[in-house]
DNA sequence: CCAGTGACGGCTA
DNA sequence: TTAGCCGCCACTG
């Protein structure tokens, strides 16, 4: 699934969701890491856009994707009754001031973890 | 068609 | 070191 392909929106979004599904329980990754893995480095904003649509899918752990500083920049896109930080805390990821505390050790990079 | 707006990230000051 | 600026490009009004 590591195909540096053109921007066929729909396919790109599907690839993003696929990668997000591979993020292990209790770990987190970043928009940029996903973009690089898909051969679209520099288009990290599109990853965020794809996730915006995925927020409604219960089978996609969108809460495991944060920005490069480990901050929960997308928390306002989650339902209030089950916010992003709550979902992370639920799987043992400590969050403080809208930021993943142990981000450096919990960071999961598809490029190095998957090859 | 045109301009504004981002769940971003790298570079410059 | 912290703050901005700019490139990225789909989507909306």
């Amino acid at each position: 699934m590591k195909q540096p392909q053109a921007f066929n929106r729909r396919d790109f979004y599907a690839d993003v969701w696929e990668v997000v599904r591979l993020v292990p329980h209790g770990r987190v990754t970043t928009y940029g890491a996903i973009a690089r893995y898909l051969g679209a480095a520099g288009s990290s904003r599109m990853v965020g856009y794809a996730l915006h649509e995925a927020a409604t899918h219960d089978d996609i752990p969108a809460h495991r994707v944060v920005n490069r500083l480990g901050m929960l920049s997308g928390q306002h896109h989650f339902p209030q009754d089950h916010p992003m930080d709550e979902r992370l805390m639920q799987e043992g990821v400590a969050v403080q001031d809208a930021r993943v505390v142990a981000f450096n050790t919990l960071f999961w990079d598809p490029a190095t973890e998957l090859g």
Side-chain angles (χ1 to χ4, degrees):
Chain A
M1 120 189 25
K2 189 177 183 179
Q3 66 243 261
Q5 46 144 346
F7 267 69
N8 294 328
R9 257 179 0 283
R10 205 62 203 178
D11 293 331
F12 180 71
Y13 290 0
D15 287 341
V16 171
W17 299 337
E18 189 120 354
V19 175
V20 173
R21 265 192 278 258
L22 298 178
V23 181
H25 183 278
R27 302 291 298 282
V28 296
T29 190
T30 69
Y31 306 94
I34 294 174
R36 279 202 310 282
Y37 179 69
L38 295 178
S43 298
S44 43
R45 298 188 90 135
M46 296 303 97
V47 174
Y49 213 96
L51 253 26
H52 179 46
E53 197 173 315
T56 59
H57 297 230
D58 294 329
D59 57 323
I60 301 176
H63 58 282
R64 293 181 192 149
V65 185
V66 297
N67 69 11
R68 84 170 183 109
L69 299 177
M71 306 205 291
L72 284 53
S73 46
Q75 59 182 324
H76 295 304
H77 291 268
F78 286 80
Q80 294 187 358
D81 49 331
H82 292 295
M84 192 175 186
D85 58 343
E86 181 188 287
R87 295 191 184 193
L88 285 171
M89 297 296 271
Q90 236 168 28
E91 44 187 81
V93 177
V95 175
Q96 186 171 50
D97 295 323
R99 180 176 181 286
V100 175
V101 180
F103 172 67
N104 290 301
T105 56
L106 294 179
F107 177 52
W108 184 87
D109 186 353
T112 60
E113 304 288 341
L114 298 178

